[in-house]
Amino acid sequence: MTRGTTLRLYNTLTRTKDTFEPIDAADVRMYVCGPTVYDYAHIGNARPVIVFDVLFRLLRHLYGADHVRYVRNITDVDDKINDRAARDFPDLPLNDAIRRVTESTAAQFHADVKALGCLPPTVEPRATEHIAKMREMIELLKERGFAYEAEGHVLFSPAAMNAANGALPRYGALANRSLDEMIAGARVDVAPYKKDATDFVLWKPSKEGEPGWPSPCGIAGLGRPGWHIECSAMSWAHFGEVFDIHGGGIDLVFPHHENELAQSTCAFGQGVMANVWMHNGFLQVEGQKMSKSLGNFVTIRELLTGWKGRAFSGSALRLSMLQSHYRQPIDWTQDRLQSAQAEIENWAVEIAGYQKSGWPSVSVQEAVEPLVYALSDDLNTPAALARMRSDFADAGTLRALRVRKLALQLEWLGILDERQANIYGSSLGGWNLQALDLAKNKDLIDTAQVAMCNQDEVLFKLVQEGLQERGIEAAARDGKFLTLSKAEEGDDRVASLITARLEARRSKNFAESDRIRDELAAMGILLKDAKDPVTGEPVTTWDVKR
Ligand code: AMP
Ligand code: ZN
């Protein structure tokens, strides 16, 4: 651990900000509930992903990158997934349809959170890969008298937990509710097989065609796990019985985390599942809870590719998210995003300018120290950003040094790396035009649109097509963005136009061949006609007009 830094984190369970003491400083373990993969991730889902990514970065800084493990699961067994699969692929067998839904949603989620600058977690376990572990845990709970079987289900009994003596926590401790309150508040339509209204499902039977696995506790027939047991089993599989930090959004405190805590502590007879429970506050959009019926439901993908006529960079989304302390609510607005985007672009222009003229030497450690200090106080990102801005504005410091520190800080926070800074920052240096050309050549935008396109829109069309990454590589190779088009001649529109033009010339249709030459010229492509020195056949090579 970096000497002199005390990390303090607010613990939902104790309702205090406590000094963080890892169980094993050589193996700090954090589990965060991940997405249920049946639909695009919305901007609210992005919040825990970004918040816990910042904490992951901080922990890696404090304990060493090899001494922190971050597990974020993928829930790929859930009735919402089954319903979506049946709706979207009615002609496929349900299990095939489910695979389609979960695989494409998980891939989309990964692309989205990568654009938000998040590091991949150390492990991303899937529920479907841990069914045996879930069964094992359910059997432990039944053996110990905390679970019972009814009509093919296995149910957990909070009343049994609270009646047990010993080290177990009280059911309701996390959510700060009493069991009596919960019984009184339980809905009237309680399933008839439950002994108490608060009992929850560990395992349930599957009907013919539904996803199912052999059941635990000697129950005949196939079944599937309840949602809560999935996370208890996956954290156990990867971290053991007790670990350091458990995180998620505030809506997960009850019932999901309360139930996870109950299952894990009762299965292992421990007083603790995770030492610290952390929850991010909720995000609403333009003053209201996000909902499809209100029309203010916004996905990460929409923001990256165009929301209300504007696309935003992942950097701007991340910055605007970190502007608020993670436990505070956020009101997500277009203005908030626009100012974040503008700030990013200003920083990027400065950084890109200095990248060319060379950097003064500053260590990451030194540059990020003030941020580490602010973040060590319960992940105070607004204070860290305020400190970064005031250091950057410090007129008493050499400008090159200020810019260098800013670049290192932004990269460390996952907001902007040097490569991205180069793209956003060099619109004046020609990247914008080159990106435009590329987008035009790829038919992502047509010529009429070009005049109306701003740099962001072009860049995000390229990101969307996965071309930006490759474009950057090509640019890094020889400084020319458009070499990409050359490298992809095979499937390129340029190549097919050249072939069509050669055909036209062969059939002496010079009007058509001239038309194609003009079309290519409008795309910024200069043709050179020559004869193949061996075969004597006409060949056409091309270059980018400068
Ligand atoms: P879900 O897929 O609904 O289980 O949500 C995945 C994660 O996103 C959980 O940690 C939720 O708590 C979190 N989450 C969902 N909606 C919001 C929101 N509007 N604001 C903040 N976090 C949210
Ligand atoms: Zn969970």
Side-chain angles (χ1 to χ4, degrees):
M1 165 126 185
T2 309
R3 233 178 282 163
T5 313
T6 305
L7 172 59
R8 294 169 74 233
L9 297 172
Y10 182 86
N11 186 351
T12 310
L13 190 60
T14 60
R15 279 164 271 282
T16 51
K17 224 194 267 184
D18 304 328
T19 299
F20 177 68
E21 305 275 3
I23 298 164
D24 175 2
D27 184 22
V28 181
R29 286 156 288 166
M30 171 167 78
Y31 184 95
V32 175
C33 297
T36 303
V37 282
Y38 68 100
D39 205 350
Y40 283 108
H42 57 65
I43 189 63
N45 300 138
R47 192 167 188 196
V49 180
I50 294 174
V51 162
F52 291 102
D53 179 68
V54 173
L55 181 55
F56 183 38
R57 287 166 186 265
L58 178 65
L59 293 170
R60 284 159 60 100
H61 183 84
L62 296 176
Y63 296 95
D66 296 338
H67 301 297
V68 182
R69 284 190 291 149
Y70 172 20
V71 173
R72 186 183 62 213
N73 71 291
I74 290 188
T75 295
D76 58 355
V77 186
D78 191 283
D79 288 355
K80 287 191 287 260
I81 300 175
N82 305 350
D83 296 346
R84 183 59 61 101
R87 189 195 81 181
D88 289 356
F89 303 101
D91 300 332
L92 288 182
L94 184 61
N95 283 315
D96 295 346
I98 287 172
R99 197 168 322 112
R100 290 264 195 109
V101 170
T102 56
E103 280 175 6
S104 64
T105 312
Q108 183 63 59
F109 176 76
H110 286 136
D112 288 349
V113 301
K114 186 168 177 225
L116 297 175
C118 297
L119 299 171
T122 321
V123 190
E124 260 194 312
R126 286 168 194 254
T128 46
E129 294 161 357
H130 293 80
I131 304 284
K133 209 74 184 161
M134 295 172 206
R135 265 199 308 261
E136 197 180 332
M137 213 165 166
I138 293 171
E139 296 197 332
L140 273 176
L141 288 168
K142 183 153 179 261
E143 275 162 30
R144 291 170 176 249
F146 298 107
Y148 63 94
E149 198 193 312
E151 297 183 23
H153 296 70
V154 185
L155 295 138
F156 183 93
S157 164
M161 177 180 179
N162 280 3
N165 294 320
L168 296 180
R170 176 180 63 80
Y171 185 85
L174 186 67
N176 204 13
R177 301 186 198 184
S178 79
L179 196 54
D180 288 344
E181 254 168 41
M182 287 187 257
I183 292 171
R187 275 185 260 131
V188 263
D189 55 345
V190 176
Y193 47 79
K194 288 189 180 178
K195 287 187 193 160
D196 283 314
T198 47
D199 297 349
F200 61 87
V201 167
L202 299 171
W203 190 265
K204 59 182 163 189
S206 292
K207 291 195 207 73
E208 180 76 31
E210 281 178 343
W213 293 265
S215 299
C217 310
I219 298 172
L222 302 182
R224 58 192 190 279
W227 173 35
H228 316 304
I229 196 74
E230 296 180 11
C231 287
S232 282
M234 285 186 273
S235 59
W236 179 34
H238 293 276
F239 286 163
E241 296 176 4
V242 180
F243 51 94
D244 296 296
I245 300 173
H246 194 322
I250 189 94
D251 58 320
L252 297 190
V253 173
F254 192 85
H256 185 53
H257 286 172
E258 190 75 61
N259 291 353
E260 280 188 38
L261 175 62
Q263 293 161 160
S264 296
T265 50
C266 290
F268 310 125
Q270 302 263 14
V272 178
M273 177 190 187
N275 278 331
V276 188
W277 291 80
M278 293 178 68
H279 295 97
N280 63 269
F282 240 48
L283 173 152
Q284 54 175 22
V285 175
E286 305 202 310
Q288 282 179 300
K289 185 172 190 285
M290 207 177 348
S291 93
K292 288 202 166 133
S293 58
L294 286 175
N296 66 348
F297 186 92
V298 48
T299 63
I300 302 173
R301 197 86 300 246
E302 277 167 334
L303 287 164
L304 293 172
T305 56
W307 180 48
K308 298 189 175 177
R310 262 212 80 168
F312 297 92
S313 60
S315 303
L317 303 194
R318 187 172 174 103
L319 174 64
S320 109
M321 197 73 87
L322 297 179
Q323 215 88 259
S324 301
H325 186 261
Y326 77 94
R327 287 196 285 126
Q328 297 301 318
I330 290 186
D331 188 22
W332 194 257
T333 61
Q334 176 116 352
D335 282 354
R336 182 186 173 109
L337 277 174
Q338 262 163 7
S339 58
Q341 182 75 44
E343 190 169 28
I344 297 273
E345 283 171 15
N346 287 341
W347 287 334
V349 168
E350 298 259 13
I351 293 168
Y354 273 95
Q355 272 170 352
K356 292 195 190 80
S357 56
W359 288 117
S361 126
V362 187
S363 71
V364 176
Q365 194 77 22
E366 183 189 336
V368 304
E369 198 192 305
L371 307 192
V372 170
Y373 180 79
L375 294 178
S376 295
D377 178 17
D378 195 26
L379 219 58
N380 195 338
T381 54
L385 294 173
R387 182 61 202 265
M388 187 174 77
R389 291 181 180 116
S390 75
D391 283 358
F392 183 55
D394 179 1
T397 317
L398 281 177
R399 187 149 172 271
L401 189 66
R402 273 190 278 140
V403 178
R404 177 59 175 155
K405 281 194 175 171
L406 176 80
L408 291 172
Q409 291 170 338
L410 286 171
E411 180 144 8
W412 187 79
L413 283 170
I415 294 176
L416 191 73
D417 62 31
E418 287 198 21
R419 225 179 35 163
Q420 292 166 311
N422 234 322
I423 304 171
Y424 298 122
S426 3
S427 51
L428 302 175
W431 281 81
N432 192 9
L433 286 177
Q434 289 168 348
L436 263 177
D437 278 342
L438 182 60
K440 261 194 298 173
N441 291 347
K442 289 284 169 191
D443 273 346
L444 299 177
I445 47 177
D446 66 33
T447 318
Q449 270 183 308
V450 169
M452 287 151 41
C453 271
N454 67 24
Q455 186 189 3
D456 291 341
E457 281 166 276
V458 174
L459 283 170
F460 287 109
K461 283 195 160 65
L462 297 176
V463 172
Q464 211 179 351
E465 295 296 310
L467 291 173
Q468 187 203 32
E469 291 280 318
R470 287 181 281 156
I472 291 162
E473 272 165 33
R477 229 175 17 247
D478 60 8
K480 280 184 274 169
F481 204 72
L482 272 177
T483 46
L484 173 67
S485 316
K486 268 190 184 170
E488 290 190 354
E489 262 170 300
D491 61 4
D492 203 295
R493 181 163 155 77
V494 175
S496 68
L497 281 173
I498 290 174
T499 312
R501 180 170 165 274
L502 282 173
E503 283 302 315
R505 277 171 37 131
R506 246 179 243 126
S507 56
K508 308 227 179 313
N509 184 349
F510 294 113
E512 175 64 3
S513 91
D514 286 348
R515 191 198 62 73
I516 297 176
R517 173 187 280 276
D518 291 345
E519 186 179 338
L520 284 163
M523 289 163 60
I525 304 296
L526 199 65
L527 297 182
K528 285 189 207 120
D529 289 318
K531 278 206 164 72
D532 186 298
V534 180
T535 63
E537 284 284 304
V539 287
T540 302
T541 56
W542 60 274
D543 209 339
V544 181
K545 267 199 296 198
R546 269 167 230 290

